[in-house]
């Protein structure tokens, strides 16, 4: 399955490269990276033996091609690379919203897997939603992303929109929540530094406990909510008819709509 050709190594593509090198899943010499403005991850991979911005003729060596450019640029990237690729190259796309059929057509009928990963792949704690109707392409996607964290196979490509909204975009939801909690702490009288440490360490600890305990979030919530206490008072606001549940449904629906728009 190597060499692996990365078409784009921005924030997400770079996180994948970092994760592969850190886990020794793939060596630098197994990577080829095309990016007109290479960032730190691409430059570090070059130092580890990756080929950065190879000439067109070199692309024929690639056996796996990662389409990691922004969705608005994918057709341009495909048009530049497709004529030079080996016939057996497998295309793995992380471009949000772009359909397998369209990607396969742009890459000359080559088999395609679609993946929606998260940037925690850089530290081996990513989450990747996978879809492919070709078993070989699905196996290739598993080999790429299992070293980077958890993988979930989707049975229908249309579910990629929901996976994007619930997983691919969700790290930003958490970061926004932490920002808001820190701001609320300052508004309640805490020093900004104290609000930052309290919010960040508490939420990362709670996430670690969720991962380790195997308990349902609802059960962990009940365990820390005393009847008539401060936590219950706060949850009465967060779980109200105008609180988190309807807000998150609206947020996920908006992300799904945008994912569908990007694929047009």
């Amino acid at each position: 399955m190597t060499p692996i050709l990365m078409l784009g190594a921005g924030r997400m593509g770079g996180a994948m490269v970092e994760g592969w090198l850190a886990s020794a899943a793939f060596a630098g010499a197994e990577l080829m990276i095309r990016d007109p403005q290479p960032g730190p991850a691409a430059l570090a991979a070059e130092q580890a033996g990756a080929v950065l911005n190879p000439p067109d003729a070199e692309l024929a060596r690639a056996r796996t091609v990662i389409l990691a450019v922004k969705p608005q640029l994918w057709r341009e990237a495909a048009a530049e690379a497709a004529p030079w690729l080996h016939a057996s190259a497998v295309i793995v796309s992380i471009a949000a919203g772009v359909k397998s059929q369209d990607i396969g057509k742009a890459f000359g009928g080559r088999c395609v897997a679609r993946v929606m990963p998260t940037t925690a792949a850089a530290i081996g704690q990513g989450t990747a939603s996978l879809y492919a109707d070709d078993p070989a392409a699905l196996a290739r996607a598993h080999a790429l992303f299992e070293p980077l964290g958890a993988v979930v196979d989707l049975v229908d490509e249309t579910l990629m929109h929901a996976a994007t909204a619930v997983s691919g975009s969700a790290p930003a939801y958490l970061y926004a929540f932490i920002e808001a909690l820190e701001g609320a702490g300052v508004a309640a009288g805490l020093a900004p530094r104290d609000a930052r440490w309290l919010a960040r360490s508490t939420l990362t600890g709670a996430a670690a406990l969720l991962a380790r305990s195997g308990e349902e979030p609802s059960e962990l919530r009940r365990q820390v909510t005393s009847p008539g206490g401060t936590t219950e008072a706060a949850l009465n606001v967060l779980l109200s008819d105008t609180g988190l549940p309807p807000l998150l449904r609206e947020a996920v629906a908006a992300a799904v709509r945008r994912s569908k728009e990007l694929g047009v």
Side-chain angles (χ1 to χ4, degrees), residues 50 58 63 75 82 95 113 117 126 145 165 188 195 215 235 241 244 251 259 261:
E58 283 290 293
R63 291 300 178 266
R75 290 188 184 277
F145 286 92
E215 296 274 12
L235 288 176
D241 291 342
L244 279 177
S259 177
E261 291 168 357

Side-chain angles (χ1 to χ4, degrees), residues 22-196:
S23 66
F26 300 102
E30 296 178 285
L31 304 178
M32 303 163 67
I33 300 172
R34 269 205 164 181
D35 194 312
Q37 296 180 312
L43 295 174
E46 183 183 28
Q47 290 296 313
V51 178
L52 184 59
N53 291 321
D56 291 339
E58 283 290 293
L59 304 189
R61 295 196 302 113
R63 291 300 178 266
T64 305
V65 180
I66 311 294
L67 181 61
V69 297
K70 295 182 184 300
Q72 298 89 338
L73 302 176
W74 82 268
R75 290 188 184 277
E76 179 183 342
E80 291 177 356
W84 303 96
L85 297 176
H86 193 277
S88 66
V90 174
I91 314 301
V92 178
S93 171
I94 66 168
V98 185
K99 301 178 183 69
S100 296
Q101 183 177 3
D102 294 335
I103 297 168
K105 183 176 180 180
F107 279 94
R110 294 173 175 87
C111 62
V112 175
R114 285 185 60 192
V115 181
M116 179 49 58
T118 63
T119 51
I123 59 171
Q125 296 189 41
T127 303
S129 305
L130 279 53
Y131 173 79
D133 59 10
D134 181 287
L138 185 61
R140 186 71 55 91
H142 269 271
L144 291 168
F145 286 92
E146 284 178 352
L148 304 180
V151 298
V152 175
D153 288 341
L154 302 179
V155 297
D156 189 319
E157 184 170 8
T158 61
L159 294 174
M160 287 296 294
H161 300 301
T164 298
V166 172
S167 178
S169 300
Y173 309 162
L174 176 62
Y175 302 144
F177 183 88
I178 294 171
E179 286 181 273
L181 184 58
E182 290 175 4
V186 172
L190 290 170
R193 180 180 181 279
D194 293 338
R196 284 196 300 271

Side-chain angles (χ1 to χ4, degrees), residues 206-220:
L209 179 61
L210 173 64
R212 180 171 297 183
S213 70
E215 296 274 12
E216 290 295 318
S218 58
E219 175 57 27
L220 292 174

Side-chain angles (χ1 to χ4, degrees), residues 50 72 79 106 113 120 125 141 145 149 201 207 234 240 252 260:
Q72 298 89 338
Q125 296 189 41
F145 286 92
S201 63
S240 70
V252 167
K260 292 178 179 178

